[in-house]
Amino acid sequence: MPLSSISPEMISLWDQALKHLESTQDARSVDAWLRGVKLLSLQPEFAVLAAPTKLHADTIRQRFIRPIAEAFGVSEVRVEVHELDHKPPTLDELVAE
């Protein structure tokens, strides 16, 4: 699926999930690691996310999988790497973690 064809519903659901995650996780970490991510698909059992880089995907898998799954009420979150119009975090932003 081309990232430009992500439905408004998926965008809205992801925005809601981000708000929830910011209230339960460190807001700076959520902003740094999840703001450039896109929700590609939400099924009854799993969600599929598009991450801008492999580093983002790996970090999401290590630090955010369970909170994201809980936010969507699913048992599995799949993270794919896609080239996105997203500026990767700077070294200062990563070190601030």
Side-chain angles (χ1 to χ4, degrees):
M1 163 192 303
L3 294 179
S4 60
S5 68
I6 295 173
S7 75
E9 178 185 15
M10 291 296 113
I11 293 168
S12 177
L13 288 169
W14 182 241
D15 286 343
Q16 291 172 28
L18 287 175
K19 287 178 185 159
H20 171 75
L21 292 165
E22 287 174 338
S23 72
T24 61
Q25 307 294 308
D26 177 69
R28 290 185 314 160
S29 292
V30 170
D31 191 54
W33 293 109
L34 301 177
R35 194 56 66 182
V37 172
K38 305 291 183 201
L39 176 63
L40 297 180
S41 175
L42 182 59
Q43 303 298 319
E45 294 297 317
F46 65 90
V48 181
L49 304 178
T53 67
K54 182 179 181 321
L55 179 60
H56 277 81
D58 291 344
T59 301
I60 291 165
R61 288 181 189 112
Q62 292 171 3
R63 296 176 55 185
F64 296 104
I65 284 293
R66 180 163 289 152
I68 292 170
E70 290 170 0
F72 287 122
V74 297
S75 59
E76 180 183 356
V77 176
R78 301 172 187 170
V79 184
E80 301 174 356
V81 178
H82 289 261
E83 293 295 321
L84 303 174
D85 282 341
H86 173 74
K87 183 182 128 227
T90 65
L91 182 57
D92 289 337
E93 291 170 333
L94 293 173
V95 171
E97 297 288 309

